[in-house]
Amino acid sequence: MKIDGKAYRTIWLKDDGWSVEIIDQTRLPHEFVTATLTTMQDAAVAIKTMQVRGAPLIGATAAYGLCLALREDASDEAMDLAIAHLNEQRPTAVNLRWALEEMRKAVRNLPREERLAAAYRRAATLCDEDVETCRMIGVHGLKLIEEIAARKGPGEPVNVLTHCNAGWIACVDWGTATSPVYQAHDKGIAVHVWVDETRPRNQGASLTAFELGAHGVPHTIIVDNAGGHLMQHGKVDLVIVGTDRVTASGDVCNKIGTYLKALAARDNDIPFYVTLPFSTIDWTIDDGFSIPIEERSADEVLKMPGRLPDGSVVTVEIAAPGSGAGNPAFDVTPARLVTGLVTERGICAASPEGLKGLYPENA
Ligand code: MRU
């Protein structure tokens, strides 16, 4: 997608052919800054500190992180250690494990001297595949927006509510939840997005709003608690969110607060769709409550970064001094609350049958 008229992906190889450039998301929306990863540990830190975040993008970053590890040591032992280290940086999004296993498969049977080139080739195809997968999620999701637009008056926007950032910034390009929105907007369909700010890290206010604005999509930031009220007053036509892990039975794990939006959507008969690439499905578990939920630092709740009038970015304390804070980063929306799963292969019910219908090879 474009920023100031220039097309970007979120991760790319530099001209030297080996070091990896990322958009540093901890600096958005106040500054657009890129960072260079030259070691496996740089990639691990970028994932942990959320310079890169979003399930598909942390997978892509880990893939290049493994390439950087193999530059130093392409032995089986070093590879196993690097994969384990990268994998433990964030526990919830299964795309991280998936991407690292793809990398392992691509190199494990090769002689050492061929491993590095093969790893870089696989990391590049993994990124290209993510772009095409997200584009196809948009092709299928677009139909949902078109159906609602057809029932509305001319020029009356379709109001989509989204939570967190499942945009192109969270993937390599296009995004998952945003891909149908971008494709509708590009086709001339009037669409407006309610952007949940998504406390505590504000991925909605900082990132989703940033990328929708850069692409010219009308949007309004709302506090996380406003969604239910807007739904009760007929101001939301459709909820579209992303996910970090979907179980084989269709339970959906996503950014904390997603479950509350699903409850409000159900109570108000508003369709609640979850967008995902195949790499987000964890076929090894059925029950969403067995997904590990990342617990992040209390500082993310107790402090908030922001820009002062002089342009400097500072972090301020916002809570009563001495109070502690809990910070579970994800929650689970049971399959029964999900209207449908929008994947690169089409839309299916959030159920074992629905998923197996689209992915019979995993049945
Ligand atoms: O903690 P984050 O910012 O990595 O969480 C991101 C989300 O919850 C997204 O909705 C999810 O990763 C889907 S990204 C296409």
Side-chain angles (χ1 to χ4, degrees), residues 126-180:
L126 198 138
C127 289
D128 290 345
E129 285 161 15
D130 186 71
V131 176
E132 179 56 13
T133 298
C134 287
R135 191 186 70 77
M136 284 308 298
I137 290 169
V139 167
H140 297 298
L142 171 62
K143 291 177 204 142
L144 301 171
I145 296 177
E146 283 178 327
E147 278 164 23
I148 295 169
R151 298 199 296 266
K152 296 208 151 204
E156 210 188 320
V158 176
N159 286 299
V160 176
L161 183 142
T162 194
H163 191 69
C164 194
N165 173 261
W168 76 267
I169 287 280
C171 304
V172 179
D173 206 350
W174 285 107
T176 59
T178 55
S179 185

Side-chain angles (χ1 to χ4, degrees), residues 25 50 52-58 90 93 95 134 163-171 175-177 198 201 203 207 241-245 253-256 258 275-277 280 294 296 329-330:
Q25 300 190 26
M50 296 176 67
V52 289
R53 27 77 42 214
L57 180 57
I58 61 179
R90 294 204 66 193
N95 308 60
C134 287
H163 191 69
C164 194
N165 173 261
W168 76 267
I169 287 280
C171 304
T176 59
T198 318
R201 287 187 68 103
Q203 289 96 326
L207 304 175
V241 297
T243 169
D244 291 79
R245 196 183 301 215
C253 185
N254 191 45
K255 181 54 55 189
I256 193 80
T258 303
T275 51
L276 63 141
T280 301
E294 180 178 14
R296 293 190 62 89
F330 298 93

Side-chain angles (χ1 to χ4, degrees), residues 33-282:
V33 177
T34 64
T36 307
L37 313 178
T38 60
T39 64
M40 185 271 286
Q41 187 56 14
D42 286 347
V45 168
I47 293 168
K48 182 88 184 169
T49 62
M50 296 176 67
Q51 285 179 298
V52 289
R53 27 77 42 214
L57 180 57
I58 61 179
T61 307
Y64 275 119
L66 188 69
C67 298
L68 296 171
L70 294 179
R71 268 173 60 82
E72 288 170 22
D73 186 344
S75 67
D76 283 351
E77 301 71 36
M79 182 165 72
D80 288 348
L81 280 174
I83 288 174
H85 184 61
L86 288 161
N87 198 30
E88 72 192 10
Q89 299 308 314
R90 294 204 66 193
T92 302
V94 77
N95 308 60
L96 185 55
R97 182 179 84 197
W98 172 85
L100 287 164
E101 288 310 318
E102 284 297 300
M103 295 299 291
R104 195 199 302 273
K105 272 191 252 165
V107 300
R108 70 178 166 204
N109 294 326
L110 297 174
R112 271 193 202 192
E113 60 281 9
E114 291 175 24
R115 287 182 168 181
L116 185 58
Y120 271 105
R121 277 197 302 276
R122 184 65 190 109
T125 59
L126 198 138
C127 289
D128 290 345
E129 285 161 15
D130 186 71
V131 176
E132 179 56 13
T133 298
C134 287
R135 191 186 70 77
M136 284 308 298
I137 290 169
V139 167
H140 297 298
L142 171 62
K143 291 177 204 142
L144 301 171
I145 296 177
E146 283 178 327
E147 278 164 23
I148 295 169
R151 298 199 296 266
K152 296 208 151 204
E156 210 188 320
V158 176
N159 286 299
V160 176
L161 183 142
T162 194
H163 191 69
C164 194
N165 173 261
W168 76 267
I169 287 280
C171 304
V172 179
D173 206 350
W174 285 107
T176 59
T178 55
S179 185
V181 170
Y182 288 132
Q183 297 194 32
H185 175 81
D186 290 352
K187 223 177 151 182
I189 297 169
V191 59
H192 164 263
V193 184
W194 296 111
V195 178
D196 281 355
E197 61 175 346
T198 318
R199 281 283 289 145
R201 287 187 68 103
N202 292 324
Q203 289 96 326
S206 302
L207 304 175
T208 305
F210 167 79
E211 60 164 272
L212 291 174
H215 197 75
V217 178
H219 63 280
T220 306
I221 299 167
I222 51 174
V223 297
D224 292 323
N225 296 327
H229 167 80
L230 293 172
M231 291 183 203
Q232 287 173 325
H233 288 81
K235 294 186 173 167
V236 179
D237 296 305
L238 175 67
V239 180
I240 311 181
V241 297
T243 169
D244 291 79
R245 196 183 301 215
V246 170
T247 69
S249 64
D251 289 345
V252 168
C253 185
N254 191 45
K255 181 54 55 189
I256 193 80
T258 303
Y259 169 56
L260 290 176
K261 294 302 139 71
L263 284 174
R266 175 56 56 94
D267 193 45
N268 290 282
D269 285 329
I270 292 164
F272 181 94
Y273 281 93
V274 177
T275 51
L276 63 141
F278 65 98
S279 50
T280 301
I281 306 168
D282 186 345

